[in-house]
Amino acid sequence: MRWDKPILTDCGGFQVFSLSDLRTITEDGVEFKSHLDGSRHFFSPEKVMEIEEDLGADIIMSFDECCPYPSTYEYTKNSMERTTRWAKRCKEAHKTDQALFGIVQGGFYEDLRKQSVKDLVELDFPGYAIGGISVGEPKEKFLEILRMTAPLLPEAKPRYLMGVGTPDYLLEAAMAGIDMCDCVLPTRIARNGTAMTSKGKVVVRNAEYAEDFGPLDDECDCYACKNYTRAYIRHLVKCGEILGIRLLSIHNIKFLTNLMERVRIEIENDNLGNFVKDFYKKYGYTKEEK
């Protein structure tokens, strides 16, 4: 990869959720049916540890089940308890010095979230992730579980919120005490011709940008903004040229990187709350959306 910086690998738990039509869950693990040729592949917690250790990432995740929204209390409870048992098996199978994180599950039931945190903290992982939110639920439900769960995790260990990548959700995560987030969003929307900017989303493939010779974002210092115009990137996207997607991906990732660098500065200055309020106003979110 030629990436001489920290690398994190996930465990496949999200695919247990997203590929539900192609998998079967048992206590031993999960069997997936390939969408390519119908072949079957079985992943146990031990197998997942073997794969992640072979990949050699700095941070690896224990195997979990991510529940869909909504799910019944009984289903969520069984899933959460199985996730804890799998986490224990992952820790027992873990043989390297890679940092193995436990993943808090429990859906949108506060008592299950609290039990999951308690059980995983007793296993003494070097870091903890919050999984199973940002899976299609209303924003108020997301915020409710985030703000309830994050403070329960140990302050002296990394707190990781999985699957979050919009500017407002990243800011809410920081406000709740989260240290790390991940998401495919910046590159996914780039493939659809969309840029994140300091003034909101810009769907650059739209006709209004055909003769717009300004940068994607006049406040951004990324390679794309310094060297290419909206009109040219739109031309690339409309023609199906891969460079257009690459430039939008570079920009979106740099936009979020710049945002989180600013968040760290505002935390050090004890000014994060004011910054978030100003960002919401500038970015175009209404009070109700916040």
Side-chain angles (χ1 to χ4, degrees), residues 26 142 171 219 228 288:
T26 67
F142 165 83
L171 293 176
E219 296 183 20
Y228 298 91
E288 289 72 24

Side-chain angles (χ1 to χ4, degrees), residues 6-40:
I7 296 174
L8 182 151
T9 51
D10 198 4
C11 60
F14 183 78
Q15 283 65 42
V16 178
F17 157 73
S18 63
L19 302 179
S20 59
D21 293 338
L22 299 173
R23 55 85 172 139
T24 302
I25 303 173
T26 67
E27 183 63 27
D28 290 334
V30 181
E31 182 181 72
F32 288 95
K33 181 180 179 181
S34 171
H35 69 287
L36 297 175
D37 60 8
S39 59
R40 297 186 180 276

Side-chain angles (χ1 to χ4, degrees), residues 45-283:
E46 292 78 13
K47 181 63 174 179
V48 168
M49 287 297 93
E50 179 184 331
I51 293 170
E52 292 195 82
E53 289 173 0
D54 286 345
L55 289 171
D58 303 280
I59 298 173
I60 62 178
M61 309 306 295
S62 57
F63 199 30
D64 70 322
E65 179 189 354
C66 177
C67 289
Y69 176 85
S71 293
T72 66
Y73 184 88
E74 181 180 8
Y75 180 94
T76 306
K77 183 175 185 293
N78 290 335
S79 172
M80 180 273 292
E81 292 174 346
R82 183 186 300 115
T83 291
T84 299
R85 293 192 294 271
W86 284 357
K88 186 176 181 180
R89 287 169 58 186
C90 285
K91 187 169 184 183
E92 291 171 349
H94 181 44
K95 298 180 176 65
T96 70
D97 60 357
Q98 296 161 293
L100 172 62
F101 282 25
I103 303 177
V104 176
Q105 289 292 347
F108 294 86
Y109 302 97
E110 290 193 10
D111 61 323
L112 298 182
R113 285 281 171 180
K114 291 176 180 177
Q115 186 63 49
S116 181
V117 170
K118 179 178 180 297
D119 294 341
L120 292 176
V121 169
E122 287 178 356
L123 292 174
D124 193 27
F125 288 99
Y128 298 91
I130 299 175
I133 58 176
S134 191
V135 290
E137 74 282 357
K139 187 173 183 179
E140 59 269 20
K141 297 294 293 182
F142 165 83
L143 292 174
E144 177 184 328
I145 295 300
L146 169 65
R147 292 167 178 169
M148 184 276 298
T149 307
L152 302 177
L153 298 172
E155 289 186 11
K157 295 184 177 182
R159 299 169 174 175
Y160 167 31
L161 178 60
M162 307 181 77
V164 166
T166 60
D168 57 327
Y169 274 38
L170 289 172
L171 293 176
E172 293 293 350
M175 290 282 286
I178 295 296
D179 303 297
M180 306 161 52
C181 296
D182 83 289
C183 196
V184 301
L185 183 73
T187 51
R188 174 176 288 168
I189 66 173
R191 293 194 294 274
N192 294 324
T194 301
M196 298 175 174
T197 80
S198 58
K199 299 177 180 63
K201 286 184 181 179
V202 170
V203 184
V204 75
R205 56 183 163 76
N206 287 353
E208 64 184 291
Y209 301 110
E211 297 184 10
D212 186 335
F213 299 105
L216 290 171
D217 186 349
D218 56 15
E219 296 183 20
C220 181
D221 60 349
C222 79
Y223 173 80
C225 287
K226 288 191 293 186
N227 292 282
Y228 298 91
T229 65
R230 290 178 173 182
Y232 184 64
I233 294 175
R234 177 184 184 273
H235 160 72
L236 294 172
V237 171
K238 296 293 285 186
C239 291
E241 290 283 355
I242 193 74
L243 177 59
I245 294 172
R246 287 179 174 173
L247 292 174
L248 285 167
S249 295
I250 288 169
H251 166 76
N252 286 344
I253 292 171
K254 189 65 164 68
F255 175 81
L256 292 183
T257 300
N258 287 345
L259 175 62
M260 299 317 292
E261 287 178 351
R262 180 68 182 276
V263 165
R264 288 192 288 274
I265 292 171
E266 298 299 344
I267 289 173
E268 291 176 354
N269 294 333
D270 195 24
N271 190 51
L272 182 59
N274 291 329
F275 171 74
V276 171
K277 290 179 182 178
D278 292 342
F279 186 90
Y280 266 96
K281 183 177 180 180
K282 179 180 179 181
Y283 203 76

